[in-house]
Amino acid sequence: MSGTATALAVEQRAPRTERAPDPAPVTGTPGSRGQRLRRAPRALGARLRAAPLTMALLVGLWTIGAATGSLAHGPSARVLAQTGVGLPTLAEGRWWTPLTSLLWCSGLGSYVFTSLLLLLVGPAAEQRLGRLRTLAVLVGGQVAGTLAGTGLIKAGSLAGEQWTVSVADQTSIGPGVGLFALAGVLGYRLTVLWRRRLHLMVLLVPLVMTLYVGHLQSVQRCAAALAGLGVGALIGRGRPYLRSHRSSHTETRVLVALCLVAAAFGPLIASLYDNASGPFNTFSELYFSHRLSPEEVADFCAVSAHDCARAHAVERIFDTPGRLMAALFPALLLVLAEGLRRGLRFAWRITVATELLWVALLGWLYLDAGPVDLDLMQYFVEAMLLPLLTTALLLATRQRFPLRLPGRAVRRIGLLVGGAALVTAAAYVGLGRLAADQFEPGAGVRGLVNGLPAQFLPPAYNDLLPDYPVAVGPVALFLETYCGLVFWVVALGALLTAFRRPVPHTDADAAARARALLTEHGGGTLSFITTWDGNHYWFEEQGRSAVAYRLLGTVALTTGDPFGAPEDRAAAVAGFARYCDARGWTPCFYSVSPQTRSATGQLGWRSLQVAEDTVVPLPELAFTGKKWQDIRTALNKAGKQGITAEWWSYHEAPLALKDQIRAISEEWVSEKGLPEMGFTLGGLEELDDPDVRVLVAVDAQRTVHGLTSWMPVYEDGVPVGWTLDFMRRRSEGFRGVSEFLIASAALGFKEEGARFLSLSGAPLARSGQDEEPSGLERMLDWMGGVLEPVYGFRSLLAFKAKFQPEYRPMYMCYSDPAALPAITRAIGKAYLPHLTAAQGVRLMRRLSG
């Protein structure tokens, strides 16, 4: 098999043990995508057969609906009065309605939505909660949610709140209330990643429906969701794995993007209801334009002939492709949500600007309204809450959006958007002037310029704009229909294309040059981390060696040893030192080998040990003898439990596999009281590299129990060794999965001809086999002991000792002892770039405790 990381499949292998080997631990990748798709229906059928309660509820719901004729138009008024729950039925003493409301839905759309929700939540709940508990939570949530939601409407009505007064006479039916409570409880039995996502959706969906649609059932679902979350927290109290301190940077971006998507879909959902009355729906047409009713057109025509023409022009737009402009703002928010999901600062800035413009528009409308009463003031306050809350969320999470689009991409967006604006505006004014007689009144240049805002804004804004010529002829109608539409298609397309493209390296050309140099000549065991984003590069004059570094303040902190031609690496140390000196920077070589330490020593620099590399020679590796007992046990147990190891490239792995990897990583991050570390420690982003190989432990049900990633160590263009970077395991999975994966990888790499396996270094941890530590090294030992409960560096080093490695010290080399405080701050910033003030206080408490 080829030694490159893009070769994913390897033949089955068996570990060499002192007894008969178990089935081979390492396999190739499973079948093709077509085979996996063919297996999907069988897997779905098996999942449904394992959920008899869900299927019984589903069949019963549709059977009752068909028997009572409720599928098409919902239950009759008589059935609704006897089985629906609301203030009217409860006031008449029908105490059974919170239970009977489970058995019907309000129409075909509701039956379909409820069935999909039941199929999504029910089987998972039966598997993780048990059938009896699932039924109890469903029924109890239905009762609690309907009563609590109805009680909130009653309280609001007594207080005179107009929205609650308008829905006080409604009656609701449908098991969706109980299903939201069930989903809230179910979330506590999922991994941290999906727990957060499910809980967010359990809250967002009914909350958006409540705020925009405002019907009684939306309030009941919201109350049931809160009840489910509370019950789930009580059930899971005392279970450590349910505690989650924080989310990773990637997951925070996903959650913020979901919030923006909810804000975009709220007005769209409300537009599907004729009687939507939610508090946020007052000015929802400014988000999503609605077609004017005949009565509204008549009111405009009663004012003046020009207002009548403008009203007919707005109405006419909805009979042309220009009606897409009605959904302009939701479409813009959805595009920006994709940019936020990818962590782009550019998308964050546009989103904040959009929300602030919305607040400014509402403020202008309020000031322009003249004398106002308390009811109108309440409308404006309610309408401003959503953009203000969204802006506050974006500001609170601003550090999670650090990725910058390259200047070339920003310039391309500017050229496309600016060019589209210029061309469409020129077309409207220029061609409109040639067809001036097709406007009413006749169109001059000034009038056409005044009409430009109406072409680029949704139809609902027309009555807020000054007078402009109204199109009546075919050319004018064509311009009115397509000028704004073409501009926004180009603008949104340019933004979405830029957001969807991978964000290149900080200096893509230098990164490509450095990777080519690393591949050709190689470096140390950690040299592949020089390819990670965030690094800058210094190249010696002949281009045969290089140094990767990060500039933090005035400290140039290197990422490992110099790399390139072996005979030029020592000279690169002195060359990089001169380069930094000429710019007033303080150079610091971090996590370097004894060879680099020797080169810096010749310059009079000082050094201290900061970590210890653990290297396993492969040519003579054999898991025999008492010292390998733990490894043999892990291999044998994995074989008995049907767990195998599969090689993958993360980018090409199936979606289900990548989703489990993200979930396992998120669970690991959430258990820490401090943020995930970076710099020399990789995460999911570093996993997505075609030269990085990922070994995944899966069982017969395709459940991922753990994974490791391996970075190549090159020599003469081919990998001669592999370095462990990313290692995670499922908290409830196979306990020996880490030993199994490393042993499997070692056997595989050995058969490929690799010379060694590096288990990488553990920061702030040493085996104690080096010379007598200095005072600074003793201080680092103490700090490592203090941080052990959080990051477990010493435990990690002790774990690696199971593989009988060779210990190789790694050093930090610095030229000026007076610069140590600045170097310390730089290292802390490199490892914890997103450390918040609260987390910093928590860290200091650990250090001082």
Side-chain angles (χ1 to χ4, degrees), residues 220-478:
Q220 293 173 343
R221 289 174 176 174
C222 206
L226 292 173
L229 293 174
V231 170
L234 290 176
I235 293 176
R237 187 171 55 182
R239 298 183 182 183
Y241 68 88
L242 288 179
R243 295 197 299 268
S244 57
H245 298 284
R246 67 190 309 277
S247 60
S248 64
H249 308 310
T250 302
E251 183 60 15
T252 299
R253 297 165 190 166
V254 171
L255 298 179
V256 173
L258 285 175
C259 291
L260 196 65
V261 169
F265 272 104
L268 294 177
I269 295 173
S271 68
L272 302 176
Y273 293 81
D274 295 331
N275 56 346
S277 57
F280 280 16
N281 200 46
T282 307
F283 295 98
S284 65
E285 66 176 14
L286 297 180
Y287 265 116
F288 180 73
S289 301
H290 303 288
R291 190 166 191 158
L292 296 176
S293 65
E295 293 78 12
E296 290 172 322
V297 174
D299 290 340
F300 279 110
C301 290
V303 176
S304 67
H306 186 67
D307 287 338
C308 185
R310 287 177 61 170
H312 282 292
V314 172
E315 178 68 10
R316 188 169 56 242
I317 287 176
F318 287 90
D319 295 322
T320 70
R323 65 181 178 273
L324 296 175
M325 288 286 290
L328 170 61
F329 283 121
L332 176 60
L333 291 180
L334 290 176
V335 171
L336 293 175
E338 174 62 15
L340 293 177
R341 185 186 69 84
R342 298 179 68 85
L344 295 172
R345 175 69 66 170
F346 187 73
W348 182 88
R349 288 173 175 168
I350 297 178
T351 308
V352 171
T354 302
E355 298 297 334
L356 292 178
L357 283 174
W358 174 250
V359 173
L361 172 65
L362 291 175
W364 173 69
L365 289 175
Y366 175 75
L367 294 175
D368 193 57
V372 295
D373 55 20
L374 291 178
D375 290 338
L376 186 59
M377 181 182 296
Q378 179 181 342
Y379 289 151
F380 276 100
V381 170
E382 291 172 347
M384 286 185 179
L385 277 177
L386 181 62
L388 288 175
L389 291 174
T390 304
T391 303
L393 175 64
L394 290 168
L395 292 175
T397 58
R398 63 188 180 279
Q399 293 184 343
R400 307 299 178 91
F401 305 95
L403 301 183
R404 299 184 182 276
L405 287 175
R408 182 170 54 185
V410 175
R411 288 191 294 272
R412 186 185 298 114
I413 293 174
L415 287 174
L416 286 173
V417 175
L422 183 62
V423 169
T424 52
Y428 179 77
V429 175
L431 297 178
R433 185 69 186 89
L434 295 176
D437 58 334
Q438 297 189 21
F439 289 89
E440 177 63 38
V445 173
R446 176 175 296 181
L448 291 169
V449 171
N450 289 338
L452 278 175
Q455 313 311 311
F456 296 105
L457 290 174
Y461 287 78
N462 276 19
D463 58 340
L464 304 178
L465 301 173
D467 290 342
Y468 61 90
V470 178
V472 292
V475 175
L477 290 172
F478 179 86

Side-chain angles (χ1 to χ4, degrees), residues 95-133:
W95 55 266
W96 57 86
T97 53
L99 287 172
T100 55
S101 62
L102 266 167
L103 305 176
W104 279 270
C105 291
S106 57
L108 183 59
S110 181
Y111 273 100
V112 172
F113 171 78
T114 302
S115 299
L116 292 175
L117 185 60
L118 180 59
L119 290 173
L120 181 66
V121 176
E126 287 190 60
Q127 178 186 2
R128 297 176 182 273
L129 299 176
R131 295 189 187 112
L132 291 179
R133 185 174 290 181

Side-chain angles (χ1 to χ4, degrees), residues 338-678:
E338 174 62 15
L340 293 177
R341 185 186 69 84
R342 298 179 68 85
L344 295 172
R345 175 69 66 170
F346 187 73
W348 182 88
R349 288 173 175 168
I350 297 178
T351 308
V352 171
T354 302
E355 298 297 334
L356 292 178
L357 283 174
W358 174 250
V359 173
L361 172 65
L362 291 175
W364 173 69
L365 289 175
Y366 175 75
L367 294 175
D368 193 57
V372 295
D373 55 20
L374 291 178
D375 290 338
L376 186 59
M377 181 182 296
Q378 179 181 342
Y379 289 151
F380 276 100
V381 170
E382 291 172 347
M384 286 185 179
L385 277 177
L386 181 62
L388 288 175
L389 291 174
T390 304
T391 303
L393 175 64
L394 290 168
L395 292 175
T397 58
R398 63 188 180 279
Q399 293 184 343
R400 307 299 178 91
F401 305 95
L403 301 183
R404 299 184 182 276
L405 287 175
R408 182 170 54 185
V410 175
R411 288 191 294 272
R412 186 185 298 114
I413 293 174
L415 287 174
L416 286 173
V417 175
L422 183 62
V423 169
T424 52
Y428 179 77
V429 175
L431 297 178
R433 185 69 186 89
L434 295 176
D437 58 334
Q438 297 189 21
F439 289 89
E440 177 63 38
V445 173
R446 176 175 296 181
L448 291 169
V449 171
N450 289 338
L452 278 175
Q455 313 311 311
F456 296 105
L457 290 174
Y461 287 78
N462 276 19
D463 58 340
L464 304 178
L465 301 173
D467 290 342
Y468 61 90
V470 178
V472 292
V475 175
L477 290 172
F478 179 86
L479 295 175
E480 183 181 71
T481 300
Y482 290 103
C483 282
L485 184 61
V486 168
F487 166 75
W488 280 109
V489 167
V490 172
L492 294 180
L495 286 174
L496 185 60
T497 300
F499 293 164
R500 292 289 297 170
R501 284 177 178 168
V503 179
H505 200 281
T506 305
D507 186 342
D509 294 335
R513 182 183 173 191
R515 184 182 283 254
L517 187 65
L518 176 67
T519 303
E520 180 181 359
H521 296 289
T525 56
L526 293 182
S527 289
F528 192 81
I529 66 177
T530 61
T531 65
W532 294 354
D533 199 14
N535 289 317
H536 302 279
Y537 300 94
W538 171 86
F539 297 91
E540 60 94 23
E541 294 180 358
Q542 302 301 320
R544 289 174 51 82
S545 62
V547 173
Y549 67 95
R550 299 180 182 226
L551 189 62
L552 300 151
T554 59
V555 176
L557 187 66
T558 75
T559 307
D561 295 287
F563 57 94
E567 62 272 16
D568 293 324
R569 295 175 193 173
V573 173
F576 181 69
R578 291 192 298 270
Y579 174 79
C580 293
D581 184 63
R583 287 156 177 77
W585 299 342
T586 300
C588 175
F589 281 87
Y590 188 79
S591 290
V592 296
S593 64
Q595 290 77 18
T596 301
R597 181 198 188 194
S598 177
T600 60
Q602 295 177 11
L603 302 176
W605 289 22
R606 299 191 181 187
S607 63
L608 62 104
Q609 186 178 346
V610 293
E612 206 154 39
D613 195 4
T614 46
V615 179
V616 180
L618 294 179
E620 304 300 326
L621 179 66
F623 299 134
T624 58
K626 185 176 181 181
K627 61 184 180 181
W628 294 103
Q629 181 61 46
D630 289 345
I631 308 304
R632 290 198 304 273
T633 299
L635 289 170
N636 291 328
K637 285 186 175 179
K640 292 176 182 178
Q641 296 184 24
I643 295 175
T644 58
E646 297 175 356
W647 285 113
W648 285 100
S649 170
Y650 183 76
H651 180 72
E652 298 179 3
L655 181 61
L657 204 69
K658 290 196 288 189
D659 181 71
Q660 291 188 70
I661 291 174
R662 286 194 296 267
I664 292 172
S665 178
E666 189 66 24
E667 182 180 26
W668 184 89
V669 172
S670 70
E671 292 174 352
K672 308 297 178 185
L674 296 173
E676 187 175 11
M677 300 183 78

Side-chain angles (χ1 to χ4, degrees), residues 14-48:
R16 298 177 182 175
T17 64
E18 295 179 320
R19 53 188 177 182
D22 286 310
V26 184
T27 69
T29 58
S32 65
R33 178 177 296 182
Q35 291 174 331
R36 296 196 297 270
L37 289 176
R38 286 192 294 270
R39 288 198 299 263
R42 292 196 297 269
L44 178 61
R47 181 177 175 84
L48 294 179

